[in-house]
Amino acid sequence: MADNVTPFPQGVWHKNLKADAFEKYMKAEGLNFFRRQDVHDSFDTVIFMTALPAGASHKVVTAVITNNSMYLLVRVHLGTCPKGPARQTFLDYINQLNGHHAIMKYFVERDDNVFLDVCVTSRDERFDPSVVRTSLDLLVFHLKEYYDDIARRLDKTSDQTNGFTM
C-alpha cells in the first residue's frame, strides 16, 4: 500500500456518491471545464480540477475535492508566500481577509503554497451540487475583487507556478 493512502476500517467503506452527483450536475448544466481525477484511495477521493479567473488577468488552479466523508472541499491555489520580511506582512494581510470572509479561509502550507478553501458539508442523500456551484461563483466574485492585491504580495502567482497540481 502506498505511504499516502490511509487504510479504511474493514467493512465500513462506502462509495463516494458526491463525485458522481457533481459530475452528473456539471454535464446537465453544460459545465465542461473540469477534469476528473480518481485518486483510488481508501476514502474514494475524486478531484475535479479547473482554473478560475482571478483579478484582471490571472487564472488560478482550483480543485473540487470530494470523498466519502460528509465534507467537500473547494481549494484554490493562489501562489507561493513571500519570503523574508514580506512574509509576516503577507500573513497579517491574509489573516485580516480571513476575519472579513467567513465562508472562505486563506492559509499557507509548510511548503509556502497559499490556498483559499471553502468547505461544504453534506450527507450523501442531501448533497446538492448547486451549492458547490454557488461556492465557485462566490470565489470568482471574491477573486475578481481581491486577487490583484493578493498577487502583488505573493512570491509567485498561481499562474506562474507552472504545472502545479493538487
Side-chain angles (χ1 to χ4, degrees):
M1 184 181 306
D3 290 340
N4 64 343
V5 176
T6 305
F8 207 76
Q10 289 251 343
V12 180
W13 187 90
H14 67 275
K15 183 169 176 41
N16 173 0
L17 300 176
K18 291 186 291 295
D20 294 338
F22 185 62
E23 188 168 44
K24 181 180 176 182
Y25 172 83
M26 289 187 307
K27 286 179 182 175
E29 295 292 315
L31 304 174
N32 57 2
F33 45 85
F34 285 92
R35 184 183 79 242
R36 181 179 172 138
Q37 259 180 277
D38 291 271
V39 176
H40 304 291
D41 65 0
S42 57
F43 296 100
D44 199 19
T45 302
V46 178
I47 302 170
F48 296 91
M49 298 288 294
T50 191
L52 293 179
S57 61
H58 295 277
K59 295 270 188 197
V60 290
V61 175
T62 303
V64 175
I65 304 168
T66 67
N67 61 30
N68 60 16
S69 74
M70 65 182 285
Y71 303 102
L72 178 144
L73 185 66
V74 180
R75 175 162 284 176
V76 180
H77 179 250
L78 300 173
T80 56
C81 188
K83 294 168 180 46
R87 182 181 182 86
Q88 188 58 52
T89 303
F90 179 75
L91 294 175
D92 292 343
Y93 174 70
I94 64 171
N95 281 333
Q96 180 183 17
L97 289 174
N98 283 338
H100 289 93
H101 303 285
I103 189 173
M104 53 193 90
K105 292 299 173 198
Y106 291 87
F107 69 97
V108 178
E109 283 280 348
R110 287 188 192 129
D111 62 1
D112 287 335
N113 282 297
V114 181
F115 295 97
L116 177 59
D117 280 359
V118 174
C119 184
V120 177
T121 58
S122 175
R123 300 257 183 227
D124 289 341
E125 63 274 5
R126 295 200 172 216
F127 175 63
D128 182 359
S130 68
V131 174
V132 178
R133 183 175 186 179
T134 300
S135 297
L136 289 164
D137 291 344
L138 288 170
L139 282 167
V140 169
F141 178 80
H142 176 79
L143 291 169
K144 183 176 183 181
E145 185 173 342
Y146 288 93
Y147 191 71
D148 286 333
D149 192 32
I150 294 166
R152 73 178 180 79
R153 299 165 186 261
L154 293 168
D155 185 41
K156 289 183 181 177
T157 62
S158 182
D159 47 8
Q160 293 174 319
T161 54
N162 296 330
F164 182 85
T165 59
M166 291 195 218

